[in-house]
Amino acid sequence: MNRQRSRGRVTLATIAAVCAMGALPGQAHAEVGPAAYTFDPAAASVEGTETNAEAPELKPGSVYRSSIGNGQKLYYRLELDDTTDAYVSAVAIPKSGGKVAYGDGITVSIRDLDDTQCSSEDAAFESAEFPRPIAAYAYRNVEKDSTTCKAGGTYNVLIERESKVTSSPEDWDLELRYEAEPSLKEGAALPTEAPEEWPSASPVPPTGPQKRSGGSGFHDATSLESGEWVDSITPGRTRFYRVPVDWGQQLFATAALSNSGKSTEFLGNALALALDNPAHGHVDDATLSYSGGPNSVALDPLPPVAYENRYASAADVSAMRFAGWYYLSVTLSPEVAEHYGDDPIGLTLKVKVVNDSKPSPYQGDAGIFGVSDDDRDMARSGQKESEAGRSAMMTAVGFAGIGTGSLLVLGLGAWTLLARRRPASVATPPGAPGGRPPLGGPPPAW
């Protein structure tokens, strides 16, 4: 009976793993139509409050799903020590098919209990006035020469939304993340001033375009390495990609639309390209015009990843403060469909990462703020984070299956050995009451 129960536990574990794996894809899409945003399936639901005293606590290393209405100011809570740098990001996802106007957006800030602001960042729709996910972060950095936001204790995260009266009134979904930056190595002597100059000439990526389809959220962004990557994009859709950029490395990126042949109507902001850092803080963006012929747009040259970039006054330089996965998102305006139809248009991404990697300044495991050999393998293969999770689960299922099979083989082997060693004088005819089973089958307990 013990063997039977053990086998049952292994089998049930295997079935549960398979069921869980089958439930992963598509279970966390926002209900926004064909341009659905894929939320991290690990995201826990949380409701922000309009008074900070009742705010729910966010935990480091965690992902949350929330929402915010027009004009709302919502609080969340952090419990911080007096040494750790903390980052909280918010991805705002307006409903597909709605309207947004210039200046619509969110502001994310971290504040102490005296309402002193540690940092603040906006994510807003500008000239590209069409719905798409936009991201911003705020941080509490412990600085030696400053007394602001340095003490340990309770801090508030405040997220504010502003939309024009002409914009769609529906709530926006939010995906929130709270990450703690690792401690620096003891005695690490790092620069305390941001660089002022860096190479600006965009290198040519390796020739030979390759097909790679983008994801629909940060969680399932498609991994890329240096190269020319071909995809397609439909009007109103956002494609997500991610590139590992290590310490000392510099990232260049260009997005291009292919010709259509269906119209020559000029659209001033047909495509929006954005770059966000490993903590989902906004780095840079650019827009592309379109009139039916091939056209491209590139991000401004950014500095190599360095810890000291955080001391820069320019937000795009400051955001290049740590290594890890950098996220590219590309959105095609829904207005394109009015003149060019609903069919996908060819999209090409040219990505180039230059320079050798430098050592991490952190003590121990860098977590999301570093680049591992596994990350580089994923970039070469195009694997998504969600696929990596399913692969790990499949491996566990495989081991469970091997364990179950081994248990069966061992059990049958033991029964055969016992059957052969049983004295013939005590044997009873097969099928008789109390008799042992025939030599062709297992004991009754199986």
Side-chain angles (χ1 to χ4, degrees):
M1 291 299 292
N2 289 337
R3 286 180 298 171
Q4 185 179 14
R5 286 197 296 269
S6 298
R7 185 190 63 166
R9 285 194 295 269
V10 175
T11 304
L12 288 173
T14 305
I15 293 172
V18 173
C19 291
M21 183 178 63
L24 283 176
Q27 69 177 5
H29 286 283
E31 298 299 329
V32 292
Y37 177 87
T38 299
F39 284 86
D40 189 325
S45 294
V46 63
E47 292 185 12
T49 59
E50 295 186 351
T51 60
N52 69 310
E54 301 172 344
E57 182 181 356
L58 306 182
K59 300 290 187 179
S62 299
V63 187
Y64 300 89
R65 182 170 175 173
S66 191
S67 63
I68 189 168
N70 185 16
Q72 273 196 310
K73 298 181 178 181
L74 298 179
Y75 284 94
Y76 306 84
R77 180 167 55 92
L78 306 177
E79 294 296 335
L80 304 179
D81 59 26
D82 58 359
T83 59
T84 304
D85 292 345
Y87 295 82
V88 176
S89 66
V91 182
I93 307 104
K95 297 293 187 288
S96 176
K99 292 183 179 180
V100 295
Y102 189 98
D104 287 1
I106 60 169
T107 300
V108 184
S109 61
I110 295 180
R111 303 160 180 264
D112 65 17
L113 291 185
D114 294 328
D115 209 32
T116 300
Q117 184 173 281
C118 306
S119 77
S120 173
E121 184 176 275
D122 299 330
F125 297 97
E126 297 179 345
S127 55
E129 299 177 28
F130 47 85
R132 62 189 183 277
I134 53 175
Y137 73 172
Y139 44 86
R140 190 290 297 260
N141 287 164
V142 181
E143 300 178 6
K144 293 181 180 179
D145 300 328
S146 174
T147 57
T148 302
C149 299
K150 191 172 183 178
T154 301
Y155 285 77
N156 296 320
V157 176
L158 178 61
I159 301 180
E160 307 168 75
R161 174 187 164 186
E162 180 181 349
S163 293
K164 304 293 190 297
V165 294
T166 56
S167 302
S168 299
E170 295 90 357
D171 288 359
W172 291 356
D173 287 310
L174 294 175
E175 187 174 56
L176 310 176
R177 281 175 171 78
Y178 168 24
E179 298 289 350
E181 190 172 8
S183 301
L184 293 173
K185 294 176 180 176
E186 293 186 10
L190 298 173
T192 56
E193 293 184 4
E196 296 182 358
E197 296 181 355
W198 51 85
S200 59
S202 178
V204 179
T207 57
Q210 302 178 62
K211 176 70 176 178
R212 199 161 283 185
S213 297
S216 52
F218 284 92
H219 174 69
D220 73 342
T222 300
S223 304
L224 303 177
E225 61 177 352
S226 292
E228 185 174 345
W229 306 103
V230 177
D231 199 354
S232 62
I233 188 168
T234 54
R237 184 73 181 267
T238 301
R239 293 289 207 180
F240 283 83
Y241 312 85
R242 61 178 191 165
V243 184
V245 187
D246 211 348
W247 297 99
Q249 293 189 321
Q250 191 174 9
L251 172 66
F252 297 86
T254 299
L257 284 178
S258 69
N259 62 300
S260 170
K262 294 184 178 181
S263 174
T264 58
E265 181 73 20
F266 177 80
L267 299 175
N269 298 286
L271 182 140
L273 171 66
L275 176 68
D276 298 287
N277 68 20
H280 297 185
H282 184 65
V283 180
D284 193 20
D285 54 64
T287 59
L288 176 150
S289 61
Y290 191 62
S291 56
N295 200 12
S296 66
V297 65
L299 296 174
D300 290 336
L302 298 164
V305 170
Y307 185 88
E308 59 269 22
N309 286 339
R310 66 190 60 211
Y311 303 117
S313 57
D316 58 345
V317 178
S318 175
M320 301 296 294
R321 62 177 61 194
F322 25 56
W325 289 104
Y326 279 76
Y327 296 84
L328 290 164
S329 60
V330 182
T331 308
L332 186 62
S333 170
E335 188 181 354
V336 171
E338 299 176 15
H339 306 284
Y340 294 89
D342 295 320
D343 293 337
I345 296 177
L347 170 68
T348 300
L349 281 176
K350 295 183 178 181
V351 174
K352 184 67 176 178
V353 178
V354 300
N355 303 336
D356 294 333
S357 300
K358 293 184 177 180
S360 168
Y362 300 132
Q363 180 176 330
D365 183 10
I368 68 165
F369 301 119
V371 175
S372 66
D373 289 339
D374 286 342
D375 294 335
R376 297 184 184 93
D377 290 341
M378 292 177 71
R380 279 190 289 270
S381 66
Q383 194 175 42
K384 303 177 181 182
E385 179 185 352
S386 55
E387 293 171 340
R390 290 197 295 273
S391 296
M393 187 173 293
M394 198 64 190
T395 300
V397 170
F399 279 123
I402 292 171
T404 304
S406 300
L407 197 63
L408 285 169
V409 171
L410 288 172
L412 286 170
W415 171 79
T416 302
L417 181 61
L418 288 171
R420 288 179 178 176
R421 296 183 64 181
R422 179 173 294 185
S425 59
V426 299
T428 33
R436 59 187 176 88
L439 290 177
W446 285 71

